[in-house]
Amino acid sequence: MSLPLVVQKYGGTSVGSVERIQEVARRVEECARTHRVVAVVSAMAGETDRLLKLARALAPDPTPRESDVVVASGEQVTSALLSIALHARGVAAQSFLGHQIRIHTDSAHSRARIRSIDSERLFTALDSGRVAVVAGFQGVDEHESITTLGRGGSDTTAVALAAATKADACEIYTDVDGVYTTDPRIVPHAHKLERISYDEMLELASLGAKVLQIRSVEFAKRYSVPLHVRSSFNGHPGTWVVPEESNMEEVTVAGVAYDRDQAKITLTAVPDRPGLAAKIFSPIAARGIVVDMIIQNVGADGKTDMTFTVPRLEVDNALRIVREVAREVGAGDARSEGDIAKVSVVGLGMRSHAGVAAQIFETLAREGINIQMISTSEIKVSVVIDAKYTELAVRVLHDAFLGKGEEAV
Ligand code: ADP
Ligand code: ASP
Ligand code: MG
């Protein structure tokens, strides 16, 4: 019988220096005594930003294909460095880039989606007793061009590899001890969750908690990959991301997330007639811009105002489109506002506990924080507020629903 298979992913801080890479090699070596190991690595901390900046220094909007070649190099370096560090410890290992193990993606550069993985080469390495070290974040499209999977994409590489190889577990090693009730950098007394459901984690990730990339959680849920988020700086047990369990609804709120990367667009005096929303949002969608919250006010005099949010990086493109449509349909002016934040409260227990939204509004009102937009789903409530109140809002909402605990980091 072959040894159990584990995929371990090490994030940027975990491989951020020569010493950190040596520590990761020590961990991989220890695990490899009793497991077959696939180690997925991110670029060294700060490297992806540095590379992006280089490309943008030459062109504000660098050619997507070439930009991906530049940023993917960060993970190429760490995969080989970890392999070298393992060799130095006498551990057999081999590095692989995305294209070498055929991580096939679509051609949406900088946010590509994985279509398929050919794990044969990985198994050849594993079966001959080597650790497979894989460069995270990157793949290859049908034109043999290098693609990248979006910020935080190494998480997705790891979970997708765990699914493709039917690994026994996928461990995400990072710089905090697990998934916390909110970002421990903002609320130091946030507490670590022992377990969290895929659905709650999906919401937290999509609402801004950067600890896992949302697509990695989607993969984990779809292929039932047991996910363990833990620290590479100590041996503490982390957080298990698991299918929903019967008692999970007993806790009303699992966590609080925030997102400062959105911007708001308001279009005034839109003629109030059928088909107008489609006219505005179809060209935005065609540009691949994801619209998040939408509010349409009650119309007066046959006109209405419309406000919606888009990723901040896309706001200029979205505004240009909206202004064109406005001219076409005889609407008023359109303007954007960048200094907003979305703060969200997430929990399976909201399904059965009434009054969570009201308690959120009361908590924010006590601090004098104005709510600009609201959206709810079965297991979350999100509000858009002025960005300058983000930390305050996260802290008071955390304390209202999750109380105070021990120091996290
Ligand atoms: P890595 O480089 O290992 O992928 P990331 O920076 O992508 O690490 O993710 C870890 C960071 O996510 C933490 O340092 C923390 O600041 C942030 N974070 C945000 N929300 C949460 C949360 N609910 N629980 C834990 N960490 C969170
Ligand atoms: N290096 C990439 C990033 O910084 C991918 C990752 O770390 O997961 O977004
Ligand atoms: Mg990350």
Side-chain angles (χ1 to χ4, degrees), residues 359-379:
Q359 202 180 335
I360 291 173
F361 306 152
E362 280 161 22
T363 306
L364 296 175
R366 263 200 302 278
E367 302 297 329
I369 300 172
N370 187 41
I371 298 170
Q372 303 177 11
M373 301 171 89
I374 301 168
S375 91
T376 64
S377 78
E378 206 187 12
I379 65 165

Side-chain angles (χ1 to χ4, degrees), residues 1-8 31-32 34-40 119 122-127 130 132 158 161-171 225-226:
M1 256 225 359
S2 47
L3 295 172
L5 198 164
V6 57
V7 176
Q8 298 189 324
C31 184
T34 48
H35 293 79
R36 291 172 295 160
V37 184
V38 176
V40 175
S119 32
L122 280 185
F123 278 116
T124 307
L126 296 172
D127 292 344
R130 276 169 285 164
L161 285 176
T165 58
K166 301 197 164 52
D168 296 283
C170 182
E171 298 182 320
V225 178

Side-chain angles (χ1 to χ4, degrees), residues 163-244:
T165 58
K166 301 197 164 52
D168 296 283
C170 182
E171 298 182 320
I172 307 287
Y173 284 93
T174 182
D175 55 5
V176 282
D177 281 5
V179 180
Y180 280 74
T181 45
T182 193
D183 188 344
R185 284 176 210 288
I186 290 213
V187 181
H189 56 266
H191 30 267
K192 185 178 73 188
L193 299 163
E194 258 173 57
R195 301 164 93 69
I196 184 168
S197 68
Y198 289 130
D199 286 330
E200 286 167 319
M201 194 63 235
L202 272 176
E203 289 285 3
L204 285 178
S206 73
L207 296 168
K210 296 203 165 87
V211 62
L212 286 175
Q213 195 198 36
I214 178 161
R215 284 185 192 160
S216 71
V217 191
E218 286 167 0
F219 260 104
K221 183 180 176 189
R222 185 167 347 131
Y223 297 101
S224 302
V225 178
L227 212 54
H228 189 187
V229 182
R230 55 193 309 193
S231 171
S232 71
F233 290 77
N234 59 48
H236 302 165
T239 302
W240 284 91
V241 188
V242 294
E244 186 175 337

Side-chain angles (χ1 to χ4, degrees), residues 9 11-12 41-44 48-49 71 75 136-137 150-155:
K9 178 256 169 175
V41 285
S42 288
M44 294 169 92
T48 308
D49 287 336
V71 287
E75 274 72 9
F137 183 50
R151 299 309 303 266
S154 301
D155 296 332

Side-chain angles (χ1 to χ4, degrees), residues 32 58 68 74 82 91 101 132 158 172 185 190 197 234 275 282 330 361 383 387 390:
L58 293 162
D68 269 359
L82 178 57
V91 180
I101 49 168
I172 307 287
R185 284 176 210 288
S197 68
N234 59 48
S282 301
F361 306 152
V383 294
T390 314

